[in-house]
Amino acid sequence: MQDNIVLRMQGIYKSFPGVQALRNVDFTLRKGEIHALMGENGAGKSTLIKVLTGVYIMDAGEIHIQSGSSGPAGSSGPAGSSGPAGSSGPGRDGLAEVLVPVVNHSPQEAQANGISTVYQEISLCPNLTVAENLFIGREPRKFGLIDWKTINKKADMLLKRLKIPSVSTQQLDDCSIAVQQMIAIARAVDMKCKALILDEPTSSLDDDEVTKLFQLMRQLKEQNVGIIFVTHFLEQVYEVCDRITVLRNGELAGEYEVKDLPRVQLVAKMMGKEFDDLAEIKTSAKSSPDFESETPFIEAAGLGCTGNIKPFDLRVYKGEVVGFTGLLGSGRSELARALYSADKPDSGTLKVRGTEVRFSSPLDAMKKGMAYLPEDRKRDGIIAELSVRENIIIALQAKRGVWKPISRKESENFADKYIALLQIKTAGRETPVKSLSGGNQQKVIIGRWLLTNPEYLILDEPTRGIDIGTKTEIQKLVLKLAHDGVGVAFISSEIEEMLRTCTRMAVLRDRQKVGELSGGDLKQEIIMRTIAGGEKQNV
Amino acid sequence: MRIIPLQRKNLSDTTFLLLVTIGLFAAMYAAGMIIFTNQGFAKPQMFLNLFITNASLIVISCGLTVVMITGGIDISVGSVTALVCMVAAYMMEKQGASVYAAVSVSLGIGLAFGLAQGFLVSYLGIQPFIVTLAGMFFGRGMTAVISKEMISIKNEVFLAWANYKIDLPFGTTNKKGVFQHAYIYPTVIAALVILILVIILLKRTKFGRALYAIGGNQQSALMMGLNVRRTRFFAYVLSGFLAGLGGFLFCLNSAAGFVEQARGLEMDAVSSSVIGGTLLSGGVGNPIGTLFGVLIKGTISSLITTQGSLSSWWVRIALSALLCFFIVLQSVITSRKRKTKSGSSGP
Amino acid sequence: MSKQNPDKDLSARAGASGIQKVLRHRLFFPLLCLALVLLANVAKTPNFFAVSINNGVLYGYIVDVVNRASELVILAIGMTLATAASGGQDISVGAVMAVSAAVCCQILSGGEVSVTSFQNPLVLAVSASLAASALCGAFNGFLVARLRIQPMVATLILFTAGRGVAQLITAGQITYIRVSAYKTAGGYIPGVPIPVPIFFAIGTAVIVALLLRFTALRLFVEAAGVNSSAARLVGLGSARVVFVTYVICGFLAGLAGFVASSRIYSADANNIGLYLEMDAILAVALGGNILGGGRFSLAGSVIGAFTIQSLSTTLYAMNISADQLPVYKAAAVIAIITLQSDVFRGFIRNPRIKNITGSIVFSKKETQT
C-alpha cells in the first residue's frame, strides 16, 4: 500500500483573517486512482487545492510527493513519452520510489514537482492552435527558431495516444469545451505530472462530452496517474471515482471507498447530519397554508435560460418561504437569477400577480416588487468604495430614478434605521462598505432590499461566511418577513437552516428542477434522497 | 474509439478580417486605376510610390502591431517620429554631427521611449493608453524644446542616402517614347526587411508566441509558466525601437525636422493595424494584414491627392471612418463569439 | 479679493487631530499643489496677486489665470464625470472644441471667410454648435457604453478626425466673426469688471454641482464606476449612465469651444483646444480623482484646472513656449499616475513584497517548464 502513494498531505492548517479555512486535514492520493474531493461551500475544497498547488502557503502541515524514476519535468523527451505512462507495472520495482516533502510556492513550482491542475475555466489561450497550447513555453526549436513541424507532429501523436478528437493545427477556439478540457489535461500529462487535479472540469459539459472526458480519465488511470477530481455532480462521482474524501467546515469528514458509501450517506456527510443546538425557532409559520385559491404572486411556466437552467415551472405565493435546494452548482442560483432576470431567460413565461411580464432588465423586476440578494457578495453585491448609507439607499434610488433623489436627511434616516434594525456593526453610516466584515456587508445588502419594500425577496446564500449569531438573526428575519406577507426565496447550503425557515422546497439537480417538497416531506432524509437522486425517490 | 469528424470552419474570423482588408485594398486600387487612368494611376510606379511614401509607416505600424497583439497600445509613435526627425536634423545641421551619429541617436530615442513606457505599463501596471498619451505629449513638447523653427537637412551623405534611387528591371515608356525604369528608395528595402523580421519574430520565436498567448488570455499565459511582465515589457521596447527607426526613415523622406511633423501618425498606425485585422482586445494580429492596412491608407491619400479638389483632411476623416467601421466589425464578431460560447459557462 | 488661495497652514496649526483631519481631507493634496504653484508664481512675480482696475475691468496676473482657466474648468468637469463612470478618459475633447467653434462661426458667417455682422441669429449658431458637440459625445458614448470599446481607443477616432471635420466645416479657412457681440463670451460685458469666461466656468460648475446635489446622478455615476455588475443588479443601467456622462462631456467640450472661439472671434480648427485634452486629464488626476473610475470630486477637478493654468503661467514666465508645455505636463501626469498605481502604493507600504497586482504571485525564479 505504502509505495502506491503518489501524494500525501498531513495535518494541513490554513487560516484567513477571521476564518479557519482548514483544520487538521489529511489527504492521500494513490497511483492510478480517481479520487473525488467533495464538500459544500466553505468546506475547504478549494483552499486545500490551492494549498497543494502553491497558490496559498499553508500555516502548518506537510505535503509529501513521490519522487521516483521519472525525471524532473522539463524538456519533453522524444516521441512524447510521458513519465508514468510509458513504463507501468513491475518493471520499475527496482527503482526506489520515496515520498519526499515539498513546499510549493507557486503553481509553476507545483507543476515542476509533478502536480498539475486543470481548472474549470480553461487555462489555455483560445487564439492559439491546439499544438501551441500543448507546447507553449517549451517549444522545440531548430536553429533558434520554433520548429512548427516537430511541434505539430508531436502534438498529433499526443492527441492520438490520448484519443482526443482534434488535430494539432486547429485553433483552440474552434474546439468544443470538452476537447479544450482534454487538451489542458494532455498538456499536464505530457509535462510528466504525477498528480493531476481536475477542478470542476465537467460543470460546463453536456452528457456526451462528460462521457468522453471520463474515457480519458480512465485511460490516464491505467497509466498510473493519480487524479484528484473535484466536482459537485454526485452521479459522476459514482460513475468514475474509486475513492471519496469529504470535507466539511474545513475539517476532514472522512475518506471512503466509493462502494462503501451510498449516495444518501454521502449527502449526509457533506451537509452534516447533526442539527446544531440553535434556539428552536418557532415553527408556526411552517404549517403550509392553503394557497390554492389565491393567485400566485409569481408563476413561472417553462422558464429557462440556456446553459444555466433547464426550463422549470414554479409558483410562489405571498407570505411563504420557498427554498431552492440542491448541491452547489445544481442550478439553484441560476433559477433565482432567471426569475429576477439577472440572466435573461430565453424560454417560457413569467406571470406576476396573474399578468404576464417580460423583464428586460433587473430594474423591471424590481418595479414589480422583486428583490435579489446575489450569491457573490463581493462581485455582484456590495459597491465597495461607496458608503454604508449609499449602499443601503441605492436600490430604492434606482427604482425612483435619477430625477427623484432621496434627500440627504431622508437617506441618513433610512441608513440609521437599517443599521439599527439589522444591528449592522459599522463605525458610521458614511464608512465605506468595504471596510465592514462579511456578515455586516451582507446585512447592508439585506437592508438595501428591505428598504425597497419588496413583495418577493430572493436571498441567495445570505448566511454564507457569517458567524452563527448573525445566521440566526437572518433566519428570524426571513420568518418575520414571511409573516408580514412577503414571499421569500431562500437558498442555502445548510439543510437545517432551510428546514427551519422554508414552507416548501424546490429541489434541483444538474441544472434542473427535479421535484418539490412540502408539509410532511420536509424531512432531512427525504430532502437528501431527492437531492442525491439516482436511487428510488419517494416523492 | 470514436472520433468525431472535425467541424472545421470554412473561414475563421481572423482570416475573414484579413480577406476583407485585402479585398478592400484591391477594390480601392482598381477603382483608382479605372477613374484616374490618365493621371498615371495604372503605372507600376504609382504602386511603388505607395511603399516609398509609407515606408516609415510600415515599420512603425509593425511595432504597434506587436504591442497591440498583447492587448496594449502605443500612441506615442507619432511624437517619437517628430522628435527623431528634429533631433537628427538638429544634430546634423546645428552640431555638424555625422549621419551615423544621427542614426544611432534616433534609435536610442526610440529605445528610451520603449524602455520607459514598457516599465510603467508592465511593472507598475499603469494603463498603456495613459502612459503612451503622456509619452506622446512629452515627445511633441521635446521637439519644440529642441527647436521651434523648422530645420532642413542639407547634410550631403544624408541626402545621398535619401535620394539613392534603386532602379527596378521594369518600367514604362513615357509620351516621348523614352523607357523609364520603375524605382524605389532604400527606405522601402529597410521597411520590407523589418516587416519580414517581425513576421519571423511573431511566428517563429518563443517571444513572439508568448505575445499572442498574453493577448489571448493573460491569466492562462501566467498559469502556463510564461513570464508575462517581461514579455509585455519587451513588446513596448520593440515598439519604441521601431518607432525610432521608422522616425529616421520618415526623416529620410522629409529631410527636415519641425514641430508639427508627423502629427496624427499614431492614428495612421493604429488604423493600419486595426484595418489589417489586429484585434484591439489583443491576441490576434498579423504584420501582413498591417502592411495592407498601410497600403489602404496610402491608396486613400493618393486617391484624394490625385482627385485634386478634395481637402487633404479627407484622408484622415476617411481613415477614421474606416477605423470606426473595423472597430464595430470586430466588436460584432467578438460579441457573436461570446454569445455562441455563453451557453457553456455559468454566470 | 486678492487673497484667493486658502491658507492651509493656518487651519493645520489648530491641533494634532486637526492636522490629521486636514491631511486626510480629499482636497488636501489638490489644494497643496495649487498653493505650491501659486507660491512659485509669487516668487517669480511678486505682484502676482495684485489686482487693479484698468478701463473699468479687472487687471492682473491672477485675474488672467482665472480667466484663462475657464475653458479648462469646463472641460475638467465633463472629463471628471466620464472618468468616474467609465474608468477611462475622453481624449477627443480638444477636437470637439474645434468642431463646436467651426459650427458656430460657420453659421454666423453664413459661409463667408470674414464677416462684420451676423448672417444668422447667434442663438441658432450656439445651439447648433452645442448640439453638434453633444452628438460627438453621443458617438463616443455609443462606442464606449454599447460596444464596450476602451474609452481611449473609442475617443481616439474623434481625437484625430475631429479637427478634420472642423476644417471641412470651415472649408479649410479660419472664419472670422468681427462682431463685438460675438466677442462678449470671451471678453467683457460693458460695465462689469470680471471677464465673461469666468461666468461660464462658474455657471457650469454651479449647474453641474446642482445637478449632482438635486438628482441622484452622483450616486449613479459612482456606482457604475465602482462595480458595474452590482449596479446592474440593483437596477441601474450602467451602460446608460456611462453614455450620458459622455454626452455631457461632449456638450461641455462644445461650450468650452464656443468660449475659446469667442476669445479670438474666429474658428481656428488647428489651434482651438490644442493640447487641452491632456490638461483636462491632468486636472482630473490632480484633483485627487482616480483615473480608474469611481468616487469623484468636482471641486478637486476645478482646483486641478486652476493649478494647471497657474503652472502654465509660471512656465510662460520662465520663457517656455506653448509648444513646449506638454513636456512638463506629461511628466506631471506620469508622476501622479505612478503615485496612484497599486504597485507603487503597495511598494511604499511594504517594500519587500514585489508582486501585488495579479492574484497569482510569481516566485522570483521563473520556473521553466
Side-chain angles (χ1 to χ4, degrees):
Chain A
M1 226 19 206
Q2 178 69 23
D3 45 21
N4 261 338
I5 291 174
V6 178
L7 170 83
R8 186 159 61 202
M9 301 174 82
Q10 271 174 317
I12 306 290
Y13 283 82
K14 173 73 196 171
S15 66
F16 298 105
V19 197
Q20 184 73 40
L22 292 176
R23 194 181 293 116
N24 196 18
V25 173
D26 298 338
F27 181 81
T28 309
L29 181 69
R30 294 158 191 83
K31 252 188 216 170
E33 77 169 356
I34 300 177
H35 194 141
L37 183 60
M38 311 275 304
E40 275 291 85
N41 270 335
K45 286 179 300 188
S46 61
T47 311
L48 187 70
I49 297 294
K50 283 178 177 165
V51 164
L52 180 57
T53 53
V55 177
Y56 296 151
I57 308 296
M58 57 197 167
D59 299 340
E62 282 176 3
I63 301 176
H64 293 269
I65 187 148
Q66 173 222 78
S67 149
S69 54
S70 47
S75 60
S76 66
S81 80
S82 71
S87 53
S88 57
R92 309 170 79 192
D93 282 354
L95 293 159
E97 290 187 352
V98 285
L99 288 175
V100 293
V102 291
V103 183
N104 297 320
H105 296 95
S106 71
Q108 284 77 31
E109 209 176 321
Q111 209 165 55
N113 284 324
I115 302 169
S116 289
T117 317
V118 174
Y119 296 94
Q120 173 186 2
E121 284 120 34
I122 293 156
S123 309
L124 297 175
C125 293
N127 55 330
L128 304 181
T129 65
V130 169
E132 219 174 342
N133 271 297
L134 287 170
F135 288 100
I136 195 158
R138 52 192 188 113
E139 298 99 336
R141 284 186 286 181
K142 212 180 194 176
F143 311 119
L145 295 178
I146 295 176
D147 182 3
W148 283 105
K149 238 183 206 164
T150 314
I151 289 186
N152 288 339
K153 206 173 77 194
K154 283 171 86 172
D156 277 326
M157 280 170 63
L158 184 63
L159 293 172
K160 205 172 157 197
R161 190 161 60 81
L162 296 177
K163 298 176 186 140
I164 299 172
S166 174
V167 287
S168 56
T169 52
Q170 196 178 16
Q171 198 181 318
L172 189 79
D173 225 6
D174 296 337
C175 300
S176 70
I177 299 284
V179 172
Q180 294 189 24
Q181 201 75 258
M182 291 179 185
I183 289 164
I185 293 173
R187 179 180 164 93
V189 170
D190 195 51
M191 290 170 75
K192 328 228 157 139
C193 74
K194 297 164 200 156
L196 177 64
I197 303 164
L198 302 178
D199 191 359
E200 308 265 11
T202 54
S203 48
S204 39
L205 306 185
D206 64 31
D207 297 346
D208 209 35
E209 293 172 325
V210 169
T211 318
K212 277 178 209 131
L213 183 69
F214 285 174
Q215 280 171 6
L216 178 60
M217 283 166 69
R218 291 199 187 96
Q219 206 182 332
L220 294 176
K221 177 180 156 179
E222 282 161 25
Q223 297 171 357
N224 266 343
V225 180
I227 298 175
I228 303 174
F229 184 40
V230 183
T231 185
H232 45 249
F233 293 107
L234 291 187
E235 296 302 321
Q236 296 176 358
V237 170
Y238 283 90
E239 191 178 336
V240 76
C241 293
D242 305 302
R243 211 179 283 268
I244 304 176
T245 291
V246 182
L247 297 182
R248 181 171 155 75
N249 288 336
E251 289 181 66
L252 183 68
E255 190 199 271
Y256 312 89
E257 296 254 350
V258 167
K259 58 179 189 297
D260 298 339
L261 190 69
R263 274 156 229 244
V264 178
Q265 271 190 42
L266 172 59
V267 173
K269 294 269 183 236
M270 286 168 67
M271 299 199 149
K273 274 189 296 198
E274 58 292 331
F275 286 80
D276 17 24
D277 304 321
L278 281 174
E280 271 295 318
I281 295 168
K282 69 179 175 63
T283 50
S284 65
K286 283 187 62 184
S287 58
S288 180
D290 179 30
F291 288 114
E292 292 305 312
S293 51
E294 282 177 44
T295 324
F297 179 71
I298 279 180
E299 190 173 6
L303 203 66
C305 185
T306 313
N308 290 333
I309 179 90
K310 291 175 188 161
F312 62 91
D313 298 335
L314 185 75
R315 284 161 175 242
V316 180
Y317 298 88
K318 294 188 78 169
E320 67 169 346
V321 182
V322 180
F324 302 157
T325 185
L327 295 175
L328 179 70
S330 59
R332 57 190 193 197
S333 298
E334 287 76 5
L335 191 148
R337 290 179 69 92
L339 283 178
Y340 185 67
S341 180
D343 300 321
K344 223 169 161 182
D346 49 17
S347 64
T349 56
L350 183 65
K351 284 184 187 166
V352 174
R353 283 193 221 89
T355 43
E356 193 175 328
V357 289
R358 209 155 263 284
F359 297 149
S360 66
S361 72
L363 185 60
D364 294 342
M366 283 164 65
K367 284 187 174 152
K368 290 284 177 197
M370 287 165 78
Y372 168 65
L373 181 138
E375 183 186 15
D376 190 334
R377 180 171 60 228
K378 218 168 187 168
R379 199 189 66 192
D380 297 330
I382 59 166
I383 299 169
E385 316 283 324
L386 299 192
S387 68
V388 171
R389 175 181 62 84
E390 287 165 311
N391 267 284
I392 288 177
I393 62 159
I394 192 160
L396 181 63
Q397 183 63 68
K399 226 170 148 181
R400 285 197 190 180
V402 74
W403 300 111
K404 287 186 204 146
I406 300 166
S407 76
R408 181 72 186 219
K409 190 102 213 306
E410 212 180 340
S411 78
E412 284 173 359
N413 289 341
F414 284 144
D416 288 344
K417 180 179 158 197
Y418 284 97
I419 289 173
L421 183 76
L422 301 170
Q423 296 169 0
I424 299 171
K425 287 190 193 69
T426 168
R429 59 174 116 83
E430 298 304 327
T431 313
V433 75
K434 66 179 171 186
S435 61
L436 269 57
S437 73
N440 284 302
Q441 289 179 358
Q442 199 68 291
K443 286 178 176 177
V444 168
I445 302 172
I446 293 175
R448 169 196 293 175
W449 290 117
L450 293 184
L451 183 59
T452 64
N453 235 332
E455 290 172 89
Y456 184 54
L457 176 63
I458 304 168
L459 300 172
D460 193 351
E461 294 266 20
T463 57
R464 187 204 287 183
I466 284 179
D467 64 277
I468 209 105
T470 315
K471 274 184 186 177
T472 329
E473 281 172 41
I474 290 177
Q475 291 163 19
K476 278 182 183 154
L477 184 72
V478 166
L479 290 176
K480 184 179 168 296
L481 287 171
H483 185 74
D484 296 345
V486 179
V488 182
F490 193 83
I491 302 174
S492 170
S493 293
E494 292 184 40
I495 209 151
E496 308 90 337
E497 197 172 79
M498 303 199 59
L499 279 171
R500 237 175 275 137
T501 48
C502 299
T503 42
R504 203 146 57 88
M505 280 194 203
V507 182
L508 291 108
R509 191 192 324 127
D510 299 351
R511 315 223 158 203
Q512 195 174 6
K513 187 180 163 206
V514 292
E516 223 172 82
L517 303 172
S518 60
D521 285 340
L522 285 182
K523 292 204 183 77
Q524 203 160 14
E525 203 194 311
I526 300 174
I527 295 168
M528 286 183 185
R529 201 157 279 168
T530 321
I531 290 175
E535 289 151 347
K536 207 173 205 176
Q537 293 173 22
N538 35 2
V539 180
Chain B
M1 181 177 109
R2 281 187 305 155
I3 290 190
I4 23 167
L6 288 173
Q7 299 170 339
R8 293 202 68 172
K9 279 190 218 163
N10 295 330
L11 205 62
S12 83
D13 295 326
T14 335
T15 338
F16 172 70
L17 279 174
L18 187 60
L19 285 180
V20 168
T21 306
I22 295 176
L24 190 67
F25 168 69
M28 279 169 61
Y29 203 83
M33 282 165 77
I34 293 164
I35 302 169
F36 300 119
T37 326
N38 297 331
Q39 282 98 323
F41 220 91
K43 284 186 192 163
Q45 187 58 47
M46 198 68 184
F47 183 72
L48 293 176
N49 282 346
L50 283 183
F51 286 86
I52 293 173
T53 20
N54 295 304
S56 55
L57 187 58
I58 292 174
V59 174
I60 292 169
S61 303
C62 278
L64 192 64
T65 303
V66 168
V67 168
M68 286 177 72
I69 285 171
T70 67
I73 198 162
D74 182 352
I75 57 167
S76 70
V77 291
S79 294
V80 172
T81 301
L83 183 60
V84 162
C85 289
M86 178 60 91
V87 169
Y90 186 82
M91 282 177 70
M92 286 187 282
E93 296 306 313
K94 306 280 162 166
Q95 297 188 319
S98 73
V99 182
Y100 304 99
V103 174
S104 341
V105 171
S106 299
L107 297 183
I109 289 172
L111 212 53
F113 266 81
L115 287 168
Q117 294 181 156
F119 175 77
L120 290 168
V121 170
S122 28
Y123 290 96
L124 289 190
I126 306 174
Q127 283 181 33
F129 216 112
I130 273 281
V131 170
T132 55
L133 183 74
M136 168 177 165
F137 279 80
F138 184 83
R140 191 65 67 181
M142 279 311 284
T143 314
V145 169
I146 291 167
S147 167
K148 279 175 249 175
E149 307 299 321
M150 173 163 151
I151 304 175
S152 299
I153 303 174
K154 298 185 185 73
N155 183 306
E156 282 169 18
V157 186
F158 179 88
L159 291 180
W161 283 12
N163 296 324
Y164 183 80
K165 268 190 196 176
I166 302 168
D167 285 338
L168 298 179
F170 55 86
T172 45
T173 324
N174 69 4
K175 285 169 197 155
K176 290 175 190 163
V178 182
F179 180 78
Q180 283 177 324
H181 277 291
Y183 61 88
I184 52 170
Y185 288 109
T187 50
V188 177
I189 295 179
L192 293 179
V193 167
I194 292 293
L195 180 73
I196 290 166
L197 287 179
V198 172
I199 291 173
I200 293 174
L201 177 91
L202 286 177
K203 183 76 188 159
R204 299 290 295 264
T205 66
K206 279 190 164 196
F207 171 70
R209 299 323 291 174
L211 293 170
Y212 282 96
I214 291 172
N217 186 337
Q218 184 180 330
Q219 200 64 28
S220 296
L222 237 157
M223 300 300 287
M224 294 198 288
L226 301 177
N227 191 335
V228 172
R229 288 179 189 198
R230 197 172 55 200
T231 309
R232 178 171 289 144
F233 172 69
F234 280 111
Y236 283 89
V237 173
L238 183 65
S239 160
F241 176 79
L242 289 182
L245 179 64
F248 191 78
L249 298 184
F250 192 95
C251 190
L252 280 171
N253 213 4
S254 69
F258 56 99
V259 177
E260 289 299 302
Q261 205 164 25
R263 182 177 285 286
L265 190 74
E266 61 280 341
M267 181 64 177
D268 292 346
V270 171
S271 21
S272 298
S273 275
V274 172
I275 292 170
T278 312
L279 285 191
L280 283 169
S281 48
V284 176
N286 182 348
I288 301 279
T290 304
L291 173 68
F292 278 96
V294 172
L295 293 180
I296 285 181
K297 184 251 155 194
T299 311
I300 292 177
S301 57
S302 353
L303 282 175
I304 285 172
T305 338
T306 319
Q307 199 271 346
S309 65
L310 279 174
S311 137
S312 64
W313 282 104
W314 274 108
V315 178
R316 199 132 282 157
I317 293 172
L319 203 61
S320 301
L322 212 54
L323 173 67
C324 192
F325 169 74
F326 272 85
I327 286 180
V328 173
L329 195 68
Q330 284 186 6
S331 166
V332 169
I333 286 177
T334 29
S335 74
R336 200 191 57 196
K337 208 170 225 174
R338 207 180 301 139
K339 221 168 254 172
T340 51
K341 283 267 156 85
S342 71
S344 54
S345 62
Chain C
M1 189 67 212
S2 67
K3 278 272 175 187
Q4 283 210 350
N5 71 325
D7 200 342
K8 271 284 134 194
D9 294 349
L10 208 75
S11 51
R13 253 178 256 132
S17 65
I19 290 174
Q20 280 284 325
K21 219 172 180 180
V22 169
L23 283 175
R24 287 228 185 103
H25 196 275
R26 45 186 309 163
L27 291 184
F28 171 74
F29 180 68
L31 285 170
L32 182 74
C33 288
L34 181 60
L36 285 177
V37 174
L38 289 177
L39 269 177
N41 272 312
V42 175
K44 193 84 191 163
T45 28
N47 60 344
F48 187 77
F49 285 111
V51 175
S52 57
I53 293 189
N54 276 11
N55 298 330
V57 296
L58 288 176
Y59 189 80
Y61 280 101
I62 188 70
V63 178
D64 195 50
V65 168
V66 177
N67 181 9
R68 299 264 157 214
S70 304
E71 286 100 313
L72 189 54
V73 168
I74 298 171
L75 285 183
I77 289 169
M79 188 72 82
T80 309
L81 293 177
T83 300
S86 71
Q89 284 72 43
D90 180 350
I91 60 167
S92 72
V93 287
V96 172
M97 282 175 75
V99 171
S100 154
V103 169
C104 188
C105 290
Q106 202 59 21
I107 291 178
L108 286 178
S109 77
E112 301 292 317
V113 173
S114 175
V115 289
T116 48
S117 66
F118 292 149
Q119 306 299 307
N120 284 302
L122 183 62
V123 179
L124 173 76
V126 174
S127 331
S129 73
L130 292 181
S133 36
L135 196 68
C136 291
F139 174 74
N140 289 333
F142 174 75
L143 292 179
V144 174
R146 185 80 25 221
L147 298 184
R148 296 192 192 172
I149 295 163
Q150 303 165 37
M152 289 188 144
V153 177
T155 54
L156 181 67
I157 295 175
L158 272 182
F159 172 74
T160 2
R163 289 188 190 279
V165 172
Q167 288 278 7
L168 284 181
I169 294 170
T170 62
Q173 311 284 351
I174 298 180
T175 310
Y176 283 95
I177 309 293
R178 300 179 194 278
V179 184
S180 63
Y182 189 65
K183 298 178 192 170
T184 310
Y188 295 88
I189 298 170
V192 181
I194 301 169
V196 177
I198 297 179
F199 290 116
F200 275 98
I202 294 174
T204 308
V206 168
I207 289 172
V208 175
L210 289 177
L211 202 64
L212 291 175
R213 174 135 195 106
F214 292 106
T215 71
L217 189 64
R218 174 183 283 272
L219 186 63
F220 281 31
V221 166
E222 291 184 342
V226 172
N227 186 342
S228 64
S229 157
R232 193 180 83 88
L233 287 179
V234 295
L236 288 179
S238 303
R240 207 177 330 160
V241 174
V242 171
F243 178 79
V244 168
T245 59
Y246 274 81
V247 174
I248 294 177
C249 187
F251 178 87
L252 290 180
L255 183 65
F258 167 65
V259 173
S261 136
S262 168
R263 270 187 209 279
I264 54 170
Y265 49 91
S266 64
D268 180 352
N270 277 331
N271 289 312
I272 279 187
L274 192 61
Y275 302 134
L276 270 190
E277 51 283 285
M278 190 67 172
D279 284 3
I281 294 172
L282 193 52
V284 172
L286 268 178
N289 296 299
I290 303 292
L291 292 183
R295 281 247 188 245
F296 66 94
S297 157
L298 215 54
S301 295
V302 172
I303 293 169
F306 285 123
T307 310
I308 289 164
Q309 196 56 44
S310 317
L311 180 71
S312 301
T313 312
T314 317
L315 294 172
Y316 283 134
M318 294 163 75
N319 278 332
I320 288 163
S321 77
D323 283 343
Q324 300 166 344
L325 283 185
V327 173
Y328 304 92
K329 289 176 182 166
V333 164
I334 289 299
I336 295 172
I337 303 291
T338 308
L339 290 175
Q340 277 186 1
S341 78
D342 293 342
V343 177
F344 186 81
R345 289 182 175 205
F347 184 75
I348 294 299
R349 243 176 265 131
N350 187 357
R352 275 192 194 168
I353 299 171
K354 275 198 160 179
N355 305 288
I356 292 110
T357 48
S359 53
I360 289 152
V361 181
F362 263 121
S363 63
K364 261 191 184 160
K365 196 176 57 190
E366 299 297 332
T367 341
Q368 287 293 327
T369 46

